[in-house]
Every structure is written in C-alpha cells, then in structure tokens.
Amino acid sequence: MSTDDENKQFDELRRSLLAAYGANVSRWPEGAKEARDPTPATEVALAEAEDIDRLLEAASAPVPSKLQIENMLKDVRKTTGTEAYVLPTRRFFILPLGALALAVMLGIIVGQSLTYGERHRATAFGFHYLDII
Amino acid sequence: MAQTTSIESDARLMAKIARGDSEAERELIELHFPRIYGLACRMLGDQSEAEDICQEALVRLWNTADDWTASAKLSTWLHRVVYNLSVDCLRKRRHMMGSEDVETANLFSEQQSGIDEYASNQTADIVNAAILSLPERQRTAITLVYHNELGNIEAAEIMDISVEALESLLSRGRRKLRDNLFDMRRDLI
C-alpha cells in the first residue's frame, strides 16, 4: 500500500470517528486514539464535529431534583419492603407467623381425622365413643 | 482493570443492599438515578413516565440484590433495564395512538412542557427539542455516549447492538441534529 493510500485510509478513519464520537478525543474508543492528530484533509470534519459538540453540551439531559431523589429512595424502599429493616414486621415476623399458622392448621386437620377414625372404629365395635374414654 | 474494580465494588454495594444497609441504598440511588432518569426522559420525552420507569428498574434491582453476581456492571444493568422498559412504553404508546407519526408529534408537544422545567435557556430548549425529534435509537445512542458518558462497548451492550451499529446511529443522529438545527445554528453557536 502506498503512502497516499495509507493517508487516505487514515483520513477516512478520522472522519468516521469525528462523525460518530465528535471532536473530544476522550470519547473515542481506546484503540482509535492514534487517529487523534489533525490532518488538513479532515479540517472540515473537525470543525463540524466541534459545532455539534457545542450544541450537545448546551443541552444536558434532565437531572432529578434533590426532592425527586429523596422521593425515589422512599418509594423504592416502600415497594420492596426494605422498610422492614426499620420495623422488622415483614421479613422477621410474617414468615415465622405464617409457618406457625400452617402448623396449627395441619395439627387441627390431623387431629380431626384421628378423632374421626377413633370414633368410627368404636362405633364399629358397638361402643359409644365417649364410653371408651 | 478499572472495569473489574467497578464490577467488584458494585457487587459489594449490592451485598450491602441485600443486608438492608440504608446508607448503601442512598449511595446507589444518588449515583445511578440521575443518569437513568436522564436516559428515560430523553427516550420518552415525559418526566413522570420517566420517573415511573426508573422506579420499576430500581425495584427490580433491589429484588435481585440477594442473587447479584459479580459478572455485570450495575450501571450497564440499570441502563439496559431502563432502555428496555422505555422501548416497551413507546411501543404501547405507538400501539394506542395507531401510528408512529402521532408518537413523534406527541413527543414534541410533551417535550416542550418538560424541557421548560429543566432547560435554563432558549438554546438548550431548541437543542433539546431537536434531540427529542431524532428517531428513538439515534437519540438513545447520543444520550448514552454524550450525556451519560458511557463507553462505546457499554452503550452498544445496553442497546443490544454491535459497536459498528452504535457508531452508525451516532453518526446519523449527529448529522440529523446538525441538519435540523442548520438554519438556526449561526445564532446558537
């Protein structure tokens, strides 16, 4: 490849970088920073990139206020139940309470079925259930 | 190396959040909310919708804190969720309105009221309106790279496209922005 072709290729690379990332080299990809040196053939592209950069810098993206940040923190904590760490109702009480309620219900069901079984057997033998006790 | 450090410090922060450390919660919100809010505002052109989307993304993050693995950058994860939620929101809006033209027109009218609140001068108003008039993917690429100052690889990952596709979106977006502002450019610069 001749020096002319190399220069043309270099200019083309520089123009495409300027078009995509602008004139600020700190935004360029790491591997492309070798193309940072200005060349006469890319002066127009550089000037255009600088113009657009200036426009973009004039219009920063909206930033939330301190109040919005505080509200967001509160809302996220409320939605995820992180407040439970301040008042440990959810994580530390609901699960054990749920398990306890389940155990009591299971106890009642098993107890009922056993009582029914005893009564059924007793009747089959001709006794009244209460007489056995 | 810096990337690894960031991933590790993100993992430490998430571990603290999983333990309910309120200082870590505040740190995360103060660090990441402004950036994802900026992205959502730019994508949706509506500040209250942007807040809802950010809250949804942050709640999802909180819910994954227990299982967070040190394999992803927090900022990439959050930006990606916000990007996807915003795309869904735009799609729903488009579906409700029936056509893309309505969506763009709508964005313009919504922007104006939104921009008044955050832009402090006329130039910023005009440029913000011009950015919001760009196609969705072009303005997202520009916001990620220029305003949220993310690297090209991270921005491409968030948008789920190749770096080449991102560069093409950036070039076309910048060119379109310049064309849109061409007439008034002399006054603005």
Side-chain angles (χ1 to χ4, degrees), chain A:
Chain A
M1 194 187 280
S2 71
T3 318
D4 255 12
D5 288 340
E6 275 178 19
N7 286 344
K8 270 184 193 166
Q9 215 171 28
F10 180 85
D11 289 341
E12 200 47 50
L13 170 70
R14 192 171 151 72
R15 262 193 288 267
S16 63
L17 287 164
L18 285 165
Y21 298 102
N24 185 350
V25 184
S26 68
R27 287 205 181 92
W28 289 17
E30 279 303 312
K33 285 181 181 166
E34 63 199 33
R36 74 177 75 191
D37 299 331
T39 58
T42 57
E43 269 174 16
V44 176
L46 177 65
E48 276 183 2
E50 282 171 344
D51 281 357
I52 302 169
D53 285 351
R54 260 194 293 275
L55 290 172
L56 285 168
E57 274 157 30
S60 54
V63 176
S65 65
K66 281 198 167 185
L67 182 68
Q68 276 178 301
I69 293 176
E70 284 304 316
N71 286 340
M72 181 57 69
L73 186 58
K74 267 188 220 160
D75 289 344
V76 172
R77 279 176 174 163
K78 200 182 282 178
T79 314
T80 54
T82 326
E83 283 175 325
Y85 289 95
V86 184
L87 289 168
T89 3
R90 275 177 94 125
R91 202 164 283 199
F92 295 113
F93 282 102
I94 289 182
L95 271 179
L97 274 178
L100 188 67
L102 193 70
V104 169
M105 275 173 62
L106 270 172
I108 290 170
I109 292 165
V110 170
Q112 284 279 355
S113 62
L114 280 180
T115 314
Y116 177 80
E118 295 269 313
R119 195 188 303 165
H120 183 74
R121 229 173 317 166
T123 323
F125 285 105
F127 298 107
H128 188 270
Y129 176 67
L130 288 174
D131 294 343
I132 302 172
I133 305 169

Side-chain angles (χ1 to χ4, degrees), chain A residues 19-22 27 29 48-49 51 53-56 58-60 62 64 68 70 72-73 77 79-80 82 85, chain B residues 18 22 25-26 29 33-34 37-38 41-42 51 55 62 118 124 127 146-147 152 167 170-171 174 178 181 185 189:
Chain A
Y21 298 102
R27 287 205 181 92
E48 276 183 2
D51 281 357
D53 285 351
R54 260 194 293 275
L55 290 172
L56 285 168
S60 54
Q68 276 178 301
E70 284 304 316
M72 181 57 69
L73 186 58
R77 279 176 174 163
T79 314
T80 54
T82 326
Y85 289 95
Chain B
S22 55
E25 289 171 354
R26 178 174 292 280
I29 296 266
F33 174 46
Y37 177 73
C41 280
R42 275 279 155 81
E51 256 186 83
Q55 190 183 333
W62 251 243
Y118 64 76
V127 178
Y146 293 97
H147 296 116
N152 59 344
E167 287 176 347
L170 288 171
S171 302
R174 284 173 63 95
R178 187 194 60 196
L181 294 167
R185 205 155 58 110
I189 300 168

